Amino acid sequence: MSEISREILSVGDLNRAIAGSLEERFETVWVSGEVSNFKAYDSGHWYFSLKDEEGQIRCVMFRGRNGQVGFMPQSGDLVEVAANVGFYFDAENKRPIPSHPRAIGIITSPQAAALKDVLSTLARRAPHIPVVIYPTLVQGPDAPAGIIAALKNAEQENAVDVILLVRGGGSIEDLWAFNDEKLAYAIAASPIPIVSGVGHETDVTIADFVADLRAPTPTGAAELAAPRRDQMLQELDAIMQALLQRVSQRVEREAQTLDQLALRLSHALPNPDRMREQITGWQQRLNQAWLVRLDSWKRDQSHYQSQLEMLNPQRTLERGYAVILSKAENTMHAIRNPEELNTQDGFEVRLAAGEVEVQFAKIR
């Protein structure tokens, strides 16, 4: 038996090695089989499986190729196809999206309209979660390499728990960068879970299939990744109420048990005065233990309240920070980019003790 190689491969390296071996062994091959699970999307791509008695193979025929087919295939058709063999990714290997991420990363173009929508949604649902933007091109021949580089930057920094890969709608040509094979492997190999939100709900790309979770729109991706702060507070309050109710029920049960034991002892023992003293001692110990436990719960509740208070944006303002809000087009949103400042529009500056309206005379 041959000796096992000591070379250690990452999951992504192993995937690429398998894909390369398949592509070298099989170039263009003819395959016959029965069509099943055929789906034709509005993007123009066809997705289906070829099967026979011994197994099945998942297939995709892109828009540029299926235009040469003279008919619309249906599930159950027996066909012969010329195909290139590739290695794709099983849905069972997808990573779960964290329910409470410590930070959220966004990979998109800084000029994309989708970025504004995503930031607005995150600010509304989870203002306490930091957001890290990894800028890149999302259209054109250089876009796949830029997105791959952004994924590597996010992996190296290890500052976020989930990544939103987003882009607004467009033509199939505009979204073609998200069908790139190297990008698909990079998404599958990413150690950070990825939520894709590319185009509109009817737009489907290979990146959507490889990502750990697909959202119909960029805004939908933000909603899937960010927990609602008010909902978290409601859940915490419900847990506290349930805990208090269970404690109360437990105390009532123990009190009933104690009463029953006291009654049995008063009838069974020859020295009731001594047993009454013991019962009194047990009651005092129970009360003392209950007070200690209650104090512990109160401290835990105070700790949770202080943690929530730390997340209050008002505390940030009280530390000397300020927020500049734009009033352009009758919409209020926080200024995050100095390029949004100008000398024509009015702005609102919110401080710890209140807010003022300002207009800049000069911007350097």
Side-chain angles (χ1 to χ4, degrees), residues 77-273:
D77 290 349
L78 295 176
V79 297
E80 293 180 349
V81 299
N84 295 322
V85 179
F87 182 67
Y88 292 86
F89 308 91
D90 195 335
E92 295 180 357
N93 296 326
K94 293 182 181 295
R95 297 162 291 260
I97 306 302
S99 57
H100 299 287
R102 60 190 171 100
I104 298 175
I106 303 175
I107 295 181
T108 190
S109 170
Q111 291 77 32
L115 177 59
K116 180 179 179 181
D117 297 335
V118 170
L119 292 177
S120 176
T121 301
L122 294 177
R124 183 184 72 253
R125 291 178 60 91
H128 59 285
I129 298 181
V131 177
V132 180
I133 300 175
Y134 299 95
T136 180
L137 296 174
V138 292
Q139 180 177 335
D142 297 329
I147 298 174
I148 293 173
L151 288 171
K152 291 182 179 179
N153 290 338
E155 178 181 352
Q156 292 173 356
E157 292 182 5
N158 193 28
V160 300
D161 291 336
V162 62
I163 295 175
L164 307 183
L165 178 58
V166 296
R167 186 204 188 284
S171 65
I172 185 62
E173 290 79 11
D174 295 337
L175 306 180
W176 198 254
F178 295 90
N179 289 323
D180 184 80
E181 180 181 5
K182 293 182 179 179
L183 175 58
Y185 282 112
I187 293 174
S190 172
I192 305 174
I194 297 176
V195 180
S196 67
V198 179
H200 302 297
E201 185 172 4
T202 56
D203 297 322
V204 180
T205 65
I206 291 179
D208 293 323
F209 289 96
V210 183
D212 300 292
L213 183 63
R214 176 186 180 262
T217 62
T219 301
E223 292 175 345
L224 291 173
R228 289 178 52 182
R229 182 174 180 269
D230 57 343
Q231 185 175 355
M232 293 173 59
L233 295 176
Q234 292 176 0
E235 293 176 354
L236 182 61
D237 183 68
I239 293 174
M240 182 181 67
Q241 296 298 329
L243 179 61
L244 292 176
Q245 182 179 5
R246 291 188 178 183
V247 169
S248 178
Q249 293 173 351
R250 179 63 181 272
V251 171
E252 291 178 359
R253 290 197 301 268
E254 296 297 336
Q256 293 175 1
T257 302
L258 189 60
D259 290 340
Q260 294 174 359
L261 291 174
L263 181 61
R264 292 172 59 185
L265 288 173
S266 66
H267 292 289
L269 297 178
N271 191 352
D273 292 335

Side-chain angles (χ1 to χ4, degrees), residues 59 67 123 142 148 172 222 227 242 249 293 302 312 319 323 331 334 355:
C59 307
D142 297 329
I148 293 173
I172 185 62
Q249 293 173 351
R293 182 64 61 87
S302 300
N312 192 337
R319 293 199 297 269
V323 178
T331 60
E355 61 273 347

Side-chain angles (χ1 to χ4, degrees), residues 275-312:
M275 297 309 302
R276 289 191 185 97
E277 292 177 359
Q278 291 180 348
I279 292 173
T280 301
W282 291 337
Q283 289 176 334
Q284 291 176 351
R285 291 172 60 185
L286 178 62
N287 291 335
Q288 184 178 4
W290 161 245
L291 292 176
V292 172
R293 182 64 61 87
L294 187 60
D295 289 339
S296 175
W297 287 331
K298 289 181 178 179
R299 287 194 300 270
D300 291 342
Q301 183 179 4
S302 300
H303 174 71
Y304 295 146
Q305 289 177 345
S306 64
Q307 291 293 321
L308 291 175
E309 187 66 16
M310 292 175 61
L311 299 176
N312 192 337

